[in-house]
Amino acid sequence: MIGTAVLYFLASEGVDAALVDRGDIASGTSGATMGNLSLHNRMPGPTWDLAMESRAIYAEWACSLGRSFEFEVTSSLMLVDTEARMEWVRQRAEIQRAAGLDVEVVPSRQLRDLDPTVSPDVAGAVYCAASARLNPFLLCSALASRAVEFGATVYRHTEARGVDVHRGAIAGVQTARGPIGCRVVIDAAGAEADRVGRMVGVPVSIVRDYGCVVVSERIPPLGIRIKGECTEGGHEADQRDELDRRNNIHMVFSQTASGNCLIGRSGIREGGFSKGGALEAATGILRRARRFVPAVSGLSAIRVFHGVRPFSHDGLPVLGPVGEPDGFFVACGFGDRGFALGAAGARLVARSITGKEGEISWALGAERIRVEPRGGAAPAEVITGARSREEAEK
């Protein structure tokens, strides 16, 4: 997603740009996602503008790209498991509304009128009419194809093996098919962004989170088509069983326009995941989903897909120039929010290359990757969302 979007933005401005992909378009993390653009779980902070701007960019692309990527506005629910979380949810919704998001807290007695597929003992929900979803494969393919029409080059199944640096500046990329001369390299390698960073001695830190999603057979619409579990705000004991805790399972549900249901999700940090554990995680996912949407217990699953969510060390995207070497840019660390934040993030990186307006705040800027976090915590300037390092120090 990030690589094809940056390519598109650059090519549309007349920049001679190329994408080097070890696999094919959307063959990595971008092809292992649900494609949800949920706004009910966004809060004001460093990524708020990225989420809102990305949502607007997708709506514009739906009209201008000339290719369908199944973008559609569809309402969403954040389901609240217990009454203990409801007051926290109400306070949270007030903050969202003050920031301009149209959300509504729905109590249990009204929730089943809104969506009769939700379990009757759910305490309530947050309803948002402005969420959306898209098809990740079709979007990435559309961006790459449109960029090629603008004059860009796409090298598929071509591994980047090194980056050439001459006198402190980018000079080219070494690939399996030979060298490519260039003055700028954008590291949008997702789960492999740290490997590309090492090619030029830049410490791009990537924390890998492995998860899987279950895909069901096609069925008629099952209530509101995007539903997720509230995972914060309560102080009660974790109600999940050992299997759910071991696989870090939380309910996320999305139904595509074709009728298939994508049911997730699990998340295991690097070192604890194995492909053999995908079946256990899928079992836990369906059991957890049944608690919120009982109708899933009657569905047939047609496949399970798994992938890597590449987070930065502080959980925020890493965008823009790193300083040294000159011409090396980063666009990575989005974790599980590559599509939710990716379009606006890619546009910021492209503008930082072409010199167009669009400032990248210190909270999201690539220069912060040279700041060592203390005790595993995020640097204070990242938490506060300061627009510059000087502002953060003040």
Side-chain angles (χ1 to χ4, degrees):
M1 164 59 206
I2 312 304
T4 55
V6 173
L7 183 76
Y8 167 83
F9 282 122
L10 291 175
S12 66
E13 292 291 331
V15 176
D16 184 11
L19 176 70
V20 178
D21 198 320
R22 185 169 62 180
D24 207 339
I25 301 300
S27 62
T29 294
S30 295
T33 180
M34 298 174 78
N36 292 344
L37 305 173
S38 304
L39 297 182
H40 63 249
N41 53 4
R42 303 295 164 216
M43 293 298 290
T47 61
W48 174 271
D49 289 344
L50 291 184
M52 301 306 161
E53 290 172 15
S54 292
R55 167 71 172 72
I57 291 171
Y58 294 130
E60 192 276 325
W61 279 347
C63 300
S64 65
L65 273 184
R67 296 162 175 80
S68 171
F69 54 94
E70 297 180 357
F71 173 81
E72 54 180 335
V73 178
T74 178
S75 52
S76 65
L77 288 173
M78 182 176 76
L79 301 173
V80 185
D81 194 7
T82 63
E83 189 62 37
R85 286 190 167 101
M86 286 301 293
E87 181 56 32
W88 176 82
V89 166
R90 293 186 187 96
Q91 295 174 4
R92 186 177 184 273
E94 288 181 7
I95 296 171
Q96 291 174 312
R97 283 194 293 268
L101 183 62
D102 184 12
V103 294
E104 176 186 356
V105 178
V106 182
S108 178
R109 63 183 180 276
Q110 297 177 11
L111 180 56
R112 283 183 60 79
D113 292 335
L114 190 63
D115 187 337
T117 70
V118 173
S119 179
D121 64 344
V122 170
V126 175
Y127 172 76
C128 179
S131 294
R133 68 174 325 280
L134 52 79
N135 184 311
F137 295 97
L138 294 180
L139 175 60
C140 293
S141 177
L143 289 171
S145 297
R146 196 77 178 98
V148 169
E149 291 173 4
F150 285 134
T153 305
V154 175
Y155 296 90
R156 303 169 191 260
H157 305 288
T158 303
E159 183 176 10
R161 295 180 173 176
V163 177
D164 297 328
V165 178
H166 180 66
R167 293 183 178 179
I170 294 296
V173 175
Q174 296 295 328
T175 78
R177 298 190 183 187
I180 300 174
C182 60
R183 291 180 294 173
V184 171
V185 166
I186 303 103
D187 181 359
E192 298 292 319
D194 51 354
R195 182 177 69 87
V196 176
R198 286 195 293 272
M199 294 178 182
V200 293
V202 173
V204 180
S205 177
I206 293 296
V207 180
R208 295 169 179 83
D209 184 88
Y210 294 80
C212 68
V213 172
V214 179
V215 184
S216 84
E217 62 184 315
R218 295 182 180 184
I219 60 170
L222 200 60
I224 290 178
R225 288 167 46 207
I226 298 179
K227 296 185 268 276
E229 171 186 359
C230 175
T231 59
E232 301 175 80
H235 302 291
E236 69 272 21
D238 192 338
Q239 299 297 312
R240 297 176 298 163
D241 63 22
E242 178 56 32
L243 183 151
D244 288 359
R245 286 193 293 270
R246 184 166 61 248
N247 292 278
N248 192 23
I249 290 170
H250 299 287
M251 200 285 289
V252 181
F253 175 96
S254 177
Q255 189 169 17
T256 67
S258 61
N260 300 98
C261 299
L262 308 181
I263 309 168
R265 49 160 276 187
S266 62
I268 304 173
R269 285 299 162 97
E270 193 167 8
F273 179 81
S274 66
K275 291 183 180 180
L279 180 59
E280 178 184 271
T283 301
I285 284 170
L286 293 174
R287 282 169 42 182
R288 186 64 181 166
R290 186 175 59 190
R291 186 267 172 273
F292 291 91
V293 187
V296 303
S297 61
L299 300 184
S300 295
I302 61 173
R303 71 184 180 101
V304 175
F305 64 81
H306 59 84
V308 182
R309 306 179 189 104
F311 290 87
S312 69
H313 77 275
D314 56 37
L316 297 175
V318 184
L319 307 174
V322 300
E324 295 179 5
D326 184 41
F328 190 77
F329 291 70
V330 180
C332 64
F334 286 81
D336 58 355
R337 298 173 292 176
F339 283 87
L341 312 178
R347 184 167 66 180
L348 279 175
V349 172
R351 286 176 172 176
S352 69
I353 293 169
T354 61
K356 288 208 164 188
E357 61 182 33
E359 181 185 359
I360 300 174
S361 70
W362 172 258
L364 304 176
E367 290 187 352
R368 80 180 195 276
I369 65 178
R370 300 185 186 276
V371 178
E372 289 292 333
R374 299 183 182 90
E381 59 268 27
V382 173
I383 296 172
T384 60
R387 298 199 66 81
S388 67
R389 185 168 188 171
E390 290 76 15
E391 182 182 329
E393 289 169 349
K394 289 179 183 178

Short mmCIF file of all heavy atoms in Angstrom, two decimals, residues 80 83 86 90 104-114 120 122-127:
data_model
loop_
_atom_site.label_atom_id
_atom_site.label_comp_id
_atom_site.label_asym_id
_atom_site.label_seq_id
_atom_site.Cartn_x
_atom_site.Cartn_y
_atom_site.Cartn_z
N VAL A 80 -19.15 -2.86 23.05
CA VAL A 80 -18.65 -2.76 24.43
C VAL A 80 -19.15 -3.98 25.19
O VAL A 80 -20.36 -4.15 25.39
CB VAL A 80 -19.12 -1.46 25.10
CG1 VAL A 80 -18.49 -1.31 26.47
CG2 VAL A 80 -18.79 -0.26 24.21
N GLU A 83 -20.59 -3.41 31.16
CA GLU A 83 -21.06 -2.11 31.62
C GLU A 83 -19.94 -1.30 32.24
O GLU A 83 -19.96 -0.06 32.23
CB GLU A 83 -22.18 -2.30 32.64
CG GLU A 83 -22.90 -1.03 33.04
CD GLU A 83 -23.61 -0.36 31.87
OE1 GLU A 83 -24.15 -1.06 31.01
OE2 GLU A 83 -23.60 0.90 31.82
N MET A 86 -18.57 1.33 29.89
CA MET A 86 -19.46 2.27 29.21
C MET A 86 -19.16 3.74 29.51
O MET A 86 -19.21 4.59 28.62
CB MET A 86 -20.91 1.95 29.53
CG MET A 86 -21.43 0.70 28.82
SD MET A 86 -21.35 0.80 27.01
CE MET A 86 -22.54 2.10 26.66
N ARG A 90 -18.23 6.66 26.83
CA ARG A 90 -18.97 7.92 26.67
C ARG A 90 -18.01 9.11 26.68
O ARG A 90 -18.15 10.04 25.87
CB ARG A 90 -20.01 8.06 27.78
CG ARG A 90 -21.15 7.03 27.70
CD ARG A 90 -22.22 7.32 28.74
NE ARG A 90 -23.21 6.26 28.77
CZ ARG A 90 -23.19 5.24 29.62
NH1 ARG A 90 -22.23 5.15 30.54
NH2 ARG A 90 -24.13 4.31 29.58
N GLU A 104 -21.86 8.13 17.92
CA GLU A 104 -22.99 8.08 18.85
C GLU A 104 -22.84 6.86 19.75
O GLU A 104 -22.54 5.76 19.26
CB GLU A 104 -24.30 7.99 18.07
CG GLU A 104 -25.54 7.85 18.93
CD GLU A 104 -26.80 7.62 18.10
OE1 GLU A 104 -26.70 7.66 16.87
OE2 GLU A 104 -27.86 7.37 18.71
N VAL A 105 -23.02 7.04 21.05
CA VAL A 105 -23.00 5.93 21.98
C VAL A 105 -24.41 5.32 22.02
O VAL A 105 -25.40 6.02 22.28
CB VAL A 105 -22.57 6.37 23.39
CG1 VAL A 105 -22.62 5.19 24.37
CG2 VAL A 105 -21.16 6.95 23.35
N VAL A 106 -24.48 4.02 21.75
CA VAL A 106 -25.77 3.33 21.67
C VAL A 106 -25.89 2.36 22.85
O VAL A 106 -25.08 1.44 22.98
CB VAL A 106 -25.89 2.55 20.35
CG1 VAL A 106 -27.25 1.86 20.26
CG2 VAL A 106 -25.66 3.47 19.16
N PRO A 107 -26.87 2.53 23.74
CA PRO A 107 -27.05 1.61 24.86
C PRO A 107 -27.59 0.27 24.40
O PRO A 107 -28.11 0.14 23.27
CB PRO A 107 -28.06 2.32 25.76
CG PRO A 107 -28.82 3.21 24.84
CD PRO A 107 -27.85 3.63 23.77
N SER A 108 -27.51 -0.71 25.26
CA SER A 108 -27.89 -2.08 24.91
C SER A 108 -29.32 -2.17 24.40
O SER A 108 -29.61 -2.89 23.44
CB SER A 108 -27.70 -2.99 26.13
OG SER A 108 -28.10 -4.31 25.84
N ARG A 109 -30.24 -1.46 25.01
CA ARG A 109 -31.66 -1.58 24.65
C ARG A 109 -31.93 -1.11 23.22
O ARG A 109 -32.93 -1.49 22.61
CB ARG A 109 -32.52 -0.80 25.63
CG ARG A 109 -32.27 0.69 25.66
CD ARG A 109 -33.11 1.40 26.71
NE ARG A 109 -32.86 2.84 26.74
CZ ARG A 109 -31.88 3.40 27.40
NH1 ARG A 109 -31.05 2.65 28.12
NH2 ARG A 109 -31.72 4.72 27.38
N GLN A 110 -31.05 -0.25 22.68
CA GLN A 110 -31.22 0.24 21.31
C GLN A 110 -30.32 -0.48 20.30
O GLN A 110 -30.56 -0.40 19.10
CB GLN A 110 -30.92 1.73 21.25
CG GLN A 110 -31.84 2.60 22.08
CD GLN A 110 -31.43 4.06 22.04
OE1 GLN A 110 -30.59 4.47 21.23
NE2 GLN A 110 -32.01 4.86 22.91
N LEU A 111 -29.32 -1.18 20.81
CA LEU A 111 -28.31 -1.75 19.92
C LEU A 111 -28.90 -2.80 18.99
O LEU A 111 -28.59 -2.83 17.80
CB LEU A 111 -27.16 -2.34 20.74
CG LEU A 111 -26.01 -2.99 19.97
CD1 LEU A 111 -25.42 -2.01 18.96
CD2 LEU A 111 -24.93 -3.47 20.94
N ARG A 112 -29.76 -3.65 19.51
CA ARG A 112 -30.31 -4.72 18.66
C ARG A 112 -31.30 -4.18 17.63
O ARG A 112 -31.54 -4.83 16.61
CB ARG A 112 -30.93 -5.81 19.52
CG ARG A 112 -29.86 -6.72 20.15
CD ARG A 112 -30.46 -7.86 20.94
NE ARG A 112 -31.32 -8.72 20.15
CZ ARG A 112 -30.89 -9.68 19.33
NH1 ARG A 112 -29.58 -9.87 19.18
NH2 ARG A 112 -31.73 -10.43 18.66
N ASP A 113 -31.88 -3.00 17.89
CA ASP A 113 -32.69 -2.37 16.84
C ASP A 113 -31.80 -1.91 15.69
O ASP A 113 -32.20 -1.94 14.53
CB ASP A 113 -33.45 -1.17 17.42
CG ASP A 113 -34.51 -1.56 18.41
OD1 ASP A 113 -35.00 -2.71 18.33
OD2 ASP A 113 -34.85 -0.75 19.28
N LEU A 114 -30.58 -1.48 16.04
CA LEU A 114 -29.62 -1.03 15.04
C LEU A 114 -29.00 -2.20 14.30
O LEU A 114 -28.79 -2.15 13.08
CB LEU A 114 -28.54 -0.19 15.73
CG LEU A 114 -27.56 0.59 14.86
CD1 LEU A 114 -28.29 1.64 14.03
CD2 LEU A 114 -26.51 1.26 15.74
N PRO A 120 -27.42 -10.24 22.58
CA PRO A 120 -28.29 -9.39 23.40
C PRO A 120 -27.69 -8.94 24.72
O PRO A 120 -28.18 -7.99 25.32
CB PRO A 120 -29.52 -10.29 23.64
CG PRO A 120 -29.03 -11.68 23.44
CD PRO A 120 -27.97 -11.60 22.39
N VAL A 122 -24.57 -7.75 25.12
CA VAL A 122 -23.54 -6.74 24.96
C VAL A 122 -24.02 -5.44 25.60
O VAL A 122 -25.18 -5.04 25.43
CB VAL A 122 -23.21 -6.52 23.46
CG1 VAL A 122 -22.31 -5.31 23.25
CG2 VAL A 122 -22.54 -7.77 22.88
N ALA A 123 -23.14 -4.76 26.34
CA ALA A 123 -23.55 -3.59 27.14
C ALA A 123 -23.94 -2.39 26.29
O ALA A 123 -24.75 -1.56 26.71
CB ALA A 123 -22.44 -3.21 28.11
N GLY A 124 -23.35 -2.25 25.12
CA GLY A 124 -23.63 -1.10 24.27
C GLY A 124 -22.60 -1.03 23.14
O GLY A 124 -21.85 -1.99 22.91
N ALA A 125 -22.57 0.10 22.46
CA ALA A 125 -21.66 0.25 21.33
C ALA A 125 -21.46 1.71 21.00
O ALA A 125 -22.23 2.58 21.42
CB ALA A 125 -22.20 -0.49 20.10
N VAL A 126 -20.41 1.97 20.23
CA VAL A 126 -20.19 3.28 19.61
C VAL A 126 -20.48 3.11 18.13
O VAL A 126 -19.93 2.23 17.47
CB VAL A 126 -18.76 3.78 19.82
CG1 VAL A 126 -18.54 5.08 19.06
CG2 VAL A 126 -18.47 3.97 21.30
N TYR A 127 -21.38 3.95 17.61
CA TYR A 127 -21.81 3.87 16.21
C TYR A 127 -21.19 5.02 15.44
O TYR A 127 -21.24 6.17 15.87
CB TYR A 127 -23.33 3.94 16.13
CG TYR A 127 -23.87 4.05 14.72
CD1 TYR A 127 -23.92 2.94 13.89
CD2 TYR A 127 -24.34 5.27 14.24
CE1 TYR A 127 -24.42 3.04 12.59
CE2 TYR A 127 -24.84 5.38 12.95
CZ TYR A 127 -24.87 4.25 12.13
OH TYR A 127 -25.36 4.37 10.85
#
